[in-house]
Amino acid sequence: MLLWFTAYILIPVYTIMFVQGNNWFTTNFSVIGNQLGRQEAFVLWGLLVGIYFFFSLRVIVVQMAVPPKSTWLIPLALFLLTCAVITPYLPEILPLRSTLHIVFSFMAALCLILSIGSILLRLYQDDRKKYRPYLIGLAGIAMISLFLLLLAGIISSALEIFFTITSVLLVRRLYLTLQ
């Protein structure tokens, strides 16, 4: 029940509320999260999302007959996301820390997508028909994320919202399929 609530209500609602009052195509979570009074909300968002993925993906991996060798990417993604949300993004004042923030954020998302992809590929090897929709879904998430990146010209809130919510829902559906 808690995972259902977190995946279908808490993360989507909190993610959209976090960017409330900002243009989704001209700003991003890093800029919003480093505004005065928004830092705690940004850290909370990062913890909600990171812990959800960490817990859900670890449960999925434990249930697999042969887990992929890349399971180390799961805790690494959580660690990098934590580093990203606690490292300030203030390019005018702290350019080095801002660069680190960008690197941590990008690498966290990359580790997440690679870990989900490796899990899906391993499951697909066992049952192509059952897990093909998940691979197509992950490819769709990647393609639409790339489109949103090209559309805005930056990693925008629209991209971050889309990537976060669709990835959470994909992992939730996969979790339910393995139950």
Side-chain angles (χ1 to χ4, degrees):
M1 181 66 170
L2 181 60
L3 282 177
W4 178 92
F5 177 77
T6 303
Y8 293 117
I9 306 294
L10 186 59
I11 290 175
V13 169
Y14 192 84
T15 299
I16 291 169
M17 286 179 57
F18 177 71
V19 298
Q20 188 175 11
N22 292 280
N23 185 316
W24 289 13
F25 289 94
T26 60
T27 191
N28 58 44
F29 285 21
S30 299
V31 171
I32 297 166
N34 283 279
Q35 293 172 350
L36 191 58
R38 300 296 303 264
Q39 296 94 345
E40 294 83 9
F42 187 42
V43 170
L44 179 58
W45 173 84
L47 288 173
L48 281 172
V49 170
I51 291 169
Y52 172 80
F53 279 121
F54 179 78
F55 179 76
S56 296
L57 291 173
R58 296 300 292 172
V59 169
I60 289 168
V61 166
V62 167
Q63 294 180 20
M64 295 174 67
V66 181
K69 291 183 176 17
S70 61
T71 57
W72 59 272
L73 290 169
I74 299 166
L76 180 59
L78 176 61
F79 174 75
L80 290 167
L81 180 61
T82 303
C83 289
V85 298
I86 64 172
T87 303
Y89 180 75
L90 302 166
E92 300 83 25
I93 302 167
L94 302 167
L96 177 59
R97 288 187 185 175
S98 297
T99 300
L100 288 173
H101 172 89
I102 293 167
V103 171
F104 292 147
S105 299
F106 177 78
M107 293 305 294
L110 182 63
C111 288
L112 177 65
I113 205 101
L114 289 174
S115 64
I116 294 170
S118 66
I119 289 167
L120 290 175
L121 283 172
R122 177 60 58 121
L123 291 169
Y124 180 75
Q125 291 172 345
D126 295 336
D127 190 339
R128 292 177 184 266
K129 184 179 178 185
K130 187 176 185 179
Y131 294 104
R132 181 177 292 119
Y134 292 97
L135 281 173
I136 292 168
L138 186 62
I141 291 169
M143 299 286 284
I144 293 171
S145 294
L146 179 60
F147 171 75
L148 289 169
L149 175 64
L150 295 173
L151 181 67
I154 63 167
I155 296 176
S156 65
S157 294
L159 167 58
E160 292 167 320
I161 291 166
F162 172 79
F163 180 80
T164 300
I165 293 174
T166 56
S167 297
V168 163
L169 296 178
L170 178 76
V171 168
R172 178 65 182 160
R173 297 291 302 158
L174 181 60
Y175 176 90
L176 292 173
T177 299
L178 288 168
Q179 295 301 304

